[in-house]
Amino acid sequence: MSNYRRDFTEGAMYFFTIVLLDRKSTLLTDFIGDFREAYREVQSYYPFETIAIVVLPDHFHVIMQLPEGDSNYSRRIGAIKTNFSRRIQNRTDKTASQLKKRESGIWQRRFWEHLIRDDRDLNNHIDYIYYNPVKHGYVTKVSDWEYSSFHRDVRLGLFDEDWGGDICHEISCLDFE
């Protein structure tokens, strides 16, 4: 059994990868409206700022800024997973172990977390998030993937609409999954 160590820094910014149990599943994009509602609802009762997010068919990446004095990202991630699962319940089969542990059967039990250390680290992870749909072959241009906060950041003037075409060689060598 592995001993997982997590960082719990109050008010910190974290990068997460949260993955469906079935890596061939398309539940997140098939039910994107349910995902968005679940996400917003969790954000309303466990506040956090979304720095960047991309939702792919079988996983999502997010950079989350926690409020001052709060380090409980696990509650937020767990609530997002549970809230989405409830919204689409009865659409997947469950194992005996999942039933016993009251798990949805949709998500991998664990998630990947990384404490953002500085501006360079933040920028690298934002780039990774926004380029991820291209990396996985869903689109050829970052702007063509609709399930991303990239479009918000373009509207805010933080990115150009055609961003990403020249970073393929830089991003493809990064692998946070």
Side-chain angles (χ1 to χ4, degrees), residues 52-54 129-130 142-145 147-156 159-164:
I53 188 170
V54 67
I129 284 174
Y130 289 160
V142 172
S143 60
D144 288 343
W145 190 253
Y147 312 123
S148 170
S149 58
F150 174 75
H151 305 287
R152 173 201 67 192
D153 288 352
V154 168
R155 286 190 303 274
L156 292 172
F159 286 88
D160 291 328
E161 182 76 22
D162 62 352
W163 177 89

Side-chain angles (χ1 to χ4, degrees), residues 15 44 58 60 69 71 74-75 79 97 105 119 138 146 148 160:
F15 166 87
S44 73
D58 67 330
F60 70 97
S71 65
S74 292
R75 174 180 289 149
S97 172
D119 287 343
Y138 294 116
E146 61 184 303
S148 170
D160 291 328

Side-chain angles (χ1 to χ4, degrees), residues 12-164:
M13 189 180 303
Y14 290 92
F15 166 87
F16 299 98
T17 299
I18 299 97
V19 183
L20 295 177
L21 191 58
D22 178 2
R23 291 303 304 253
K24 294 178 182 165
S25 175
T26 57
L27 287 175
L28 292 174
T29 52
D30 290 349
F31 300 100
I32 191 68
D34 293 302
F35 178 81
R36 286 177 172 146
E37 287 177 24
Y39 190 91
R40 280 189 212 109
E41 184 176 309
V42 170
Q43 205 169 24
S44 73
Y45 52 82
Y46 299 123
F48 63 90
E49 181 183 353
T50 302
I51 305 301
I53 188 170
V54 67
V55 180
L56 292 115
D58 67 330
H59 68 284
F60 70 97
H61 300 288
V62 62
I63 298 174
M64 182 184 293
Q65 173 71 60
L66 296 175
E68 285 298 316
D70 191 336
S71 65
N72 199 343
Y73 56 78
S74 292
R75 174 180 289 149
R76 290 163 174 86
I77 299 300
I80 291 167
K81 290 164 69 170
T82 298
N83 199 338
F84 177 72
S85 298
R86 281 189 192 135
R87 290 170 190 276
I88 65 164
Q89 66 187 358
N90 302 323
R91 296 182 183 148
T92 61
D93 294 326
K94 297 179 184 179
T95 67
S97 172
Q98 290 164 338
L99 288 169
K100 182 179 177 185
K101 295 177 181 176
R102 296 180 10 209
E103 294 175 333
S104 67
I106 296 171
W107 300 98
Q108 289 185 7
R109 289 182 180 151
R110 302 203 183 274
F111 56 87
W112 171 260
E113 132 269 329
H114 168 79
L115 174 68
I116 300 295
R117 297 178 304 271
D118 55 31
D119 287 343
R120 182 171 183 236
D121 192 29
L122 173 61
N123 290 332
N124 286 341
H125 282 82
I126 291 172
D127 289 352
Y128 179 81
I129 284 174
Y130 289 160
Y131 197 75
N132 208 247
V134 176
K135 173 188 169 199
H136 286 286
Y138 294 116
V139 291
T140 56
K141 295 183 342 188
V142 172
S143 60
D144 288 343
W145 190 253
E146 61 184 303
Y147 312 123
S148 170
S149 58
F150 174 75
H151 305 287
R152 173 201 67 192
D153 288 352
V154 168
R155 286 190 303 274
L156 292 172
L158 302 174
F159 286 88
D160 291 328
E161 182 76 22
D162 62 352
W163 177 89

